[in-house]
Amino acid sequence: MNITEVRIRLKTKEDSKIRAIASITIDECFVVHDIKVIEGNEGFFIAMPSRKTPEGEFKDIVHPLNTETREVIKNKILQEFEKAREQA
């Protein structure tokens, strides 16, 4: 898997912990939109796209199947997020 593009949309709302929304392109042929960059107590992390169930739970719509893939996606998104913050 090769992440061929990352797009970052910075968020400016101060009352939310969401700092950006990311889209990634994988192998120039598959796009995942609405990955959230969230500021937590121990730094930034990502949350995959999800939807709310009738029971009030949030379920991921798309997600990596293993930790290694999640780390690759997280690191690439956070790297581009830092670049976008520096340019803003």
Side-chain angles (χ1 to χ4, degrees):
M1 177 191 80
N2 185 27
I3 298 174
T4 52
E5 184 178 16
V6 177
R7 293 185 182 198
I8 301 290
R9 290 179 290 153
L10 296 175
K11 301 300 248 177
T12 57
K13 257 189 165 178
E14 294 299 323
D15 62 338
S16 173
K17 291 185 181 247
I18 298 173
R19 298 294 177 237
I21 303 294
S23 295
I24 61 171
T25 303
I26 300 169
D27 294 329
E28 296 182 356
C29 64
F30 189 82
V31 177
V32 179
H33 295 291
D34 296 331
I35 302 169
K36 297 171 198 73
V37 177
I38 301 171
E39 186 173 10
N41 294 334
E42 297 178 21
F44 295 102
F45 64 94
I46 64 167
M48 298 307 286
S50 62
R51 71 173 148 210
K52 195 172 186 179
T53 67
E55 295 80 29
E57 293 181 84
F58 284 91
K59 296 283 186 177
D60 286 349
I61 296 169
V62 60
H63 59 86
L65 293 178
N66 57 54
T67 304
E68 179 182 307
T69 304
R70 177 174 284 279
E71 285 298 309
V72 168
I73 293 170
K74 180 187 85 168
N75 291 337
K76 187 74 171 174
I77 288 173
L78 293 182
Q79 179 182 33
E80 293 300 320
F81 169 67
E82 288 301 329
K83 285 182 190 176
R85 286 179 51 189
E86 289 172 7
Q87 293 174 357

